[in-house]
Structures are given as structure tokens and as C-alpha cells.
Amino acid sequence: MEALLFVLGIPLAGSIVLAFTGHRDFARDVNVGFSFATFLAACALTARIVSSGPLLALNQEFFIDPLNVFMVTLTAFVGLTTAIFSRPYMRVEQDHGKMNPGRMRLYHSMYQLFSFTMLVALTTNNLGLLWVAMEAATLTTVLLVSVYRTAASLEAAWKYFILCGVGIALALFGTVLLYMAAEKVLGAEGGALLWTHLDTVKTRLDPNIITLAFAFLFIGYGTKVGLVPLHNWLPDAHAEGPTPVSAVLSGLLLNVAMYALLRCKVLTDGALNSALAGQLLMGFGLASVVVAAFFLSRQKDVKRMFAYSSIEHMGLIAFAFGLGGPIANFAGLLHMTVHSLTKSAIFFAVGHATQKAGTQVMSEIRGLIKVSPTVGWGMMLGSLAILGMPPFGVFASEFLILTTAMREQPWATPILLLALGVAFASVFSRVLPMVFGETSVRPLAHSPALLPVFVHLALGLMLGLYVPPYLVGWYTQAARMLGG
């Protein structure tokens, strides 16, 4: 339990400390330090779960099992590498006049508070507290997206707040309905919102109430996932906020929202004894893949393009979990991992590229391989990885999803292949001139610190070639828990 307290307490303490010192020059290092400590605590918690099994803590309000323990570690790891990336990035933004001391203090404190809300959402056993954590995550990221205080960033933050605020309100109504169904079985004092209690009685829950509850929960948390047609906030938030915020939005927030949906899906499957939840995930997931793929071809802003790529991949993940079964669930979990690693790496490279070019318009970014070989190769390799080129991990997970779809839902396979083909052509045709095009810009005097980019890509490559046995064990157990 001590490890869990550290996992939650360190980022909360970090947000308080940085609320007072976030404008200082050393705040960037303090932010990295707190993120590193959180990662160490997450590793200790993971070791505890691996050795001793699931953990209930703090009067059963928190619950760690194979489904969420690897996501806790992944969240802490991406939070650490993004903090390392943001250290030089935000210093340059401050030098360019985009950030002043007050904004730096807000950015650093909200960054740690965002990490705290994500970790609470992942580890809580209480579905009411899960909703509170997701709402808090919305509020913190609204402040992060709007930190530049430009007209465009304020508009993006306002759109994000309205759409996700409405979505999370619907999720609250779904949570209330879920409690109403559970109270009839567990009683008022039976912990009717504790997931472990609900899981034991899910077959006895009123199917009519659960059907309605899941509909609201799906719309609410599906908005946070970015599923079509509830995706409109995501491209603007990615494009107008600081690049580190884009990295954690794609790499962390979307995963946590999907995790909340999966917990609700397990209860719905048990209560209804039907494939309704899976069919909703498949339908909206497939629609998200197709719509995002075709929107990719229309983008001119590099961050908006990769934001639509995130919608495409979250749709693919939703489709995989909708298929259900051990292989599709395994593939969905693997795809969540490699997408988080790869997409955050791409945003790291994009951040340096746009800072050097002074624009996010792709037609004005050229010759990155000459300006900075590390940025150029990071962008190129990251794009190939996210497009599913072998031997990167995205190829492995997409291959598992497609082969499972061929067997279970063959009608969907050509649609997926067409959408993935369009996405490949759209992204590759734009990244290629950005990296290898002619430019008169002088090379950077000093190579930017892109260690997080290549660490993430190396991990993505490893997961395409070899998945460590302990990770296979996590995925297998989690896939079995998800059922389907």
C-alpha cells in the first residue's frame, strides 16, 4: 500500500510545490524530479502486484490488478519522458515570449496535477471517484491547452471544455444509473459503486437500467476517447496547446478514458449477457478509423494531422475491444501501449521541428534532415512506426486486430484496410518533404535533446520484435478479465 500512496502522493505534492515555485528557473528540473519519483513508485507498485497479485487499499477505495497496473507504469513513464522533453522546449517558448513567469507556474503545477488525476482514475475502485478524476483531468488540461492565452488557444480550450464537459456530465448520469441498479442488489451500505463489488454481482444487475447506463457512460467517456462524432475538441486542443500537452493528451488521457469504458463494458457484458457493448465499440471504432483517415488527407497543420491520427488509432483500439476474445483484447492492450509510446515520440520531434521553423504549417517545414538530423530521423521513424510499418509494435498489434477481424467480422476487414491505406498515403506524403525537402535554413548550432524520442521508438521497435514474458503475462490476464 505504501507504493500506491507514493504513486498518488508524489504528483499531488509536486503540483502544490510547483504552484509556488513553478516560475523559477529550477522549476523545470523540479518537474522532472517529481515525475521521476512517480515513475519509481509506479515500478515499485508494479513489482508488488506481480509478486503478490491484486491489491485492495484504503478501505477498498483503490484497486490494482493486471488490467490497470501496466497502464499505471506506462502513464508514469510517458509523464517522465514528456517532462524531460518539456524542460528545453518550454525554456525556448519562454525565450520566444510565449510564456511568462505566471504561465510557467501554471504549466508546471497543472502538469503534475494532471498526472495525479490520471493515476487516481486508473487506480480507484470507486466508479464515482473515477468520474471525479476524469472531470478533474478535464479541468487541468483545459488550463494547459489555454496556457498561451492566444485567441486560438482560448477558443480550443473553450471548445474542449464545452464538449468534454457535456460528455462527462452524461457519464455522471450513467454512473448514477449504475448505482441505482447496484443498490437494488448490494444495498445502500454495500459499496454499490465499488467495481470489485459490482463485478461479483454483475449477472444480477437489472439489464434495462444497465443498458441505459452504458449508453450514457459510452457517450460520456467516448467523448474523452475522441470517438467520432464526439472528436471535434481533439484536433484543436492538440494544435493550439503546448506540444508537451499534445504528447500527454494522446499518450495518456485517451488511454485512461478507454480504460474507464472497458471497466464499464465488463459490467455491461455480465448484466446483459449480450454483445451490445462490443457492438457499440466496434461500430463507433470503425467509424472513427474511417473518418479520421479521410480527414488526415485535408490537414495543413502538422499537429492537427497527428491529432487525427490519434483519433484513427483510438478507433482501432475500440474496434479491437469490441471484437472481444483473448486475441483481440491482447491486441488492443498492445496497441494502447505502442500508440502511447510512438505518438508521444512523434510529438516530441514535431515540437522541435515547429519551434525551429516558427510555424506548424507543413508546407513551410522542409529539410529537417539537414536542419537537425536527429529531429528529421525522429520524425521519419516515428511516422513509419505509427503508420504500421514492420517491425515496429504498431504493425504487430494491427496485424493481430486485422487477422481477428478476418475471422470474426470479415465484412469489416476491407474497410479497415482501405482506411489504413488512406492514412498511410496521407501522412507519408506530407512527412517525406518535411524531412527530406530542400531548405535554405541553416543547421542547428546544437543538436536538440531527443533522447525521449529514440527511447520511445526503441521500445516500440522492441514490442514489435519481442514482448517480454512478464508483459505477455499482464496482457494475457487483462485480456481474460475483459472477456468478450
Side-chain angles (χ1 to χ4, degrees):
M1 189 175 80
E2 293 81 3
L4 175 61
L5 291 176
F6 280 115
V7 166
L8 300 178
I10 290 170
L12 181 59
S15 68
I16 296 171
V17 170
L18 288 168
F20 295 99
T21 63
H23 61 293
R24 307 280 187 181
D25 289 339
F26 60 77
R28 293 184 289 268
D29 299 317
V30 173
N31 190 41
V32 173
F34 275 107
S35 298
F36 181 67
T38 303
F39 176 63
L40 291 180
C43 291
L45 179 63
T46 300
R48 157 68 177 79
I49 299 303
V50 169
S51 62
S52 305
L55 169 69
L56 275 169
L58 302 178
N59 196 28
Q60 300 188 45
E61 292 296 321
F62 290 87
F63 175 62
I64 317 295
D65 65 1
L67 178 58
N68 58 11
V69 68
F70 87 89
M71 294 184 68
V72 169
T73 309
L74 178 65
T75 298
F77 176 73
V78 174
L80 169 60
T81 54
T82 305
I84 294 171
F85 161 73
S86 75
R87 184 176 173 272
Y89 181 89
M90 297 307 290
R91 182 173 57 204
V92 173
E93 295 292 87
Q94 193 169 19
D95 292 342
H96 288 171
K98 291 186 175 182
M99 299 292 288
N100 58 34
R103 293 174 189 173
M104 290 296 289
R105 185 166 62 244
L106 176 67
Y107 169 79
H108 285 126
S109 61
M110 288 301 103
Y111 185 90
Q112 288 296 322
L113 191 60
F114 171 76
S115 297
F116 170 72
T117 59
M118 291 294 91
L119 292 168
V120 169
L122 287 172
T123 56
T124 184
N125 189 32
N126 189 314
L127 295 184
L129 187 55
L130 170 63
W131 180 88
V132 171
M134 294 298 295
E135 174 69 1
T138 300
L139 297 177
T140 55
T141 44
V142 163
L143 294 174
L144 286 169
V145 168
S146 67
V147 74
Y148 286 148
R149 294 298 188 270
T150 63
S153 67
L154 290 172
E155 180 185 351
W158 182 248
K159 181 185 289 186
Y160 174 38
F161 177 73
I162 293 298
L163 290 177
C164 288
V166 171
I168 210 72
L170 294 175
L172 175 62
F173 189 58
T175 304
V176 171
L177 288 172
L178 185 62
Y179 176 83
M180 185 172 73
E183 187 187 19
K184 294 180 179 180
V185 178
L186 294 168
E189 303 299 325
L193 280 179
L194 297 181
W195 190 87
T196 48
H197 292 187
L198 288 166
D199 190 45
T200 59
V201 299
K202 59 188 177 186
T203 57
R204 297 161 54 194
L205 300 176
D206 187 326
N208 295 317
I209 298 177
I210 294 300
T211 299
L212 191 58
F214 185 76
F216 282 102
L217 290 165
F218 182 81
I219 296 170
Y221 291 131
T223 303
K224 301 286 286 186
V225 174
L227 296 178
V228 170
L230 309 167
H231 66 287
N232 291 327
W233 64 269
L234 200 150
D236 287 346
H238 280 64
E240 303 304 334
T243 302
V245 177
S246 302
V248 293
L249 281 174
S250 272
L252 301 182
L253 181 64
L254 305 186
N255 275 1
V256 176
M258 180 61 72
Y259 164 81
L261 264 182
L262 293 178
R263 287 291 193 193
C264 298
K265 176 182 179 293
V266 171
L267 300 178
T268 305
D269 287 343
L272 303 185
N273 195 27
S274 73
L276 174 66
Q279 289 169 351
L280 283 173
L281 281 169
M282 273 195 296
F284 282 91
L286 188 61
S288 300
V289 173
V290 172
V291 171
F294 283 95
F295 266 101
L296 279 168
S297 63
R298 301 177 56 189
Q299 301 311 307
K300 298 178 180 179
D301 183 298
V302 62
K303 289 174 70 175
R304 287 183 69 89
M305 181 180 73
F306 284 114
Y308 275 104
S309 172
S310 293
I311 296 170
E312 175 206 0
H313 284 278
M314 293 312 295
L316 195 59
I317 291 167
F319 180 82
F321 288 125
L323 282 174
I327 297 176
N329 287 336
F330 184 101
L333 293 166
L334 177 61
H335 201 79
M336 289 175 78
T337 306
V338 292
H339 175 258
S340 290
L341 294 171
T342 307
K343 188 55 65 63
S344 51
I346 290 172
F347 277 115
F348 297 160
V350 165
H352 285 301
T354 55
Q355 271 190 340
K356 178 58 183 175
T359 180
Q360 294 176 189
V361 179
M362 287 181 281
S363 61
E364 298 178 19
I365 303 174
R366 290 291 183 267
L368 291 175
I369 202 74
K370 297 177 182 178
V371 176
S372 173
T374 52
V375 172
W377 281 114
M379 177 85 79
M380 193 72 244
L381 292 174
S383 299
L384 290 174
I386 205 65
L387 291 172
M389 286 292 288
F392 288 99
V394 174
F395 169 78
S397 56
E398 286 183 350
F399 181 81
L400 285 174
I401 293 170
L402 286 170
T403 51
T404 307
M406 289 178 188
R407 185 179 68 251
E408 302 292 339
Q409 304 288 341
W411 60 270
T413 309
I415 301 174
L416 285 173
L417 288 172
L418 174 63
L420 293 174
V422 170
F424 185 97
S426 301
V427 174
F428 191 72
S429 64
R430 283 163 173 75
V431 170
L432 203 61
M434 291 171 63
V435 175
F436 296 107
E438 292 297 325
T439 182
S440 59
V441 178
R442 291 184 178 182
L444 293 174
H446 303 285
S447 297
L450 284 179
L451 180 63
V453 174
F454 294 103
V455 168
H456 281 214
L457 293 179
L459 290 172
L461 178 62
M462 181 196 74
L463 292 174
L465 298 170
Y466 170 74
V467 183
Y470 61 87
L471 198 55
V472 172
W474 289 349
Y475 289 158
T476 304
Q477 291 179 59
R480 192 180 304 117
M481 289 172 55
L482 292 173

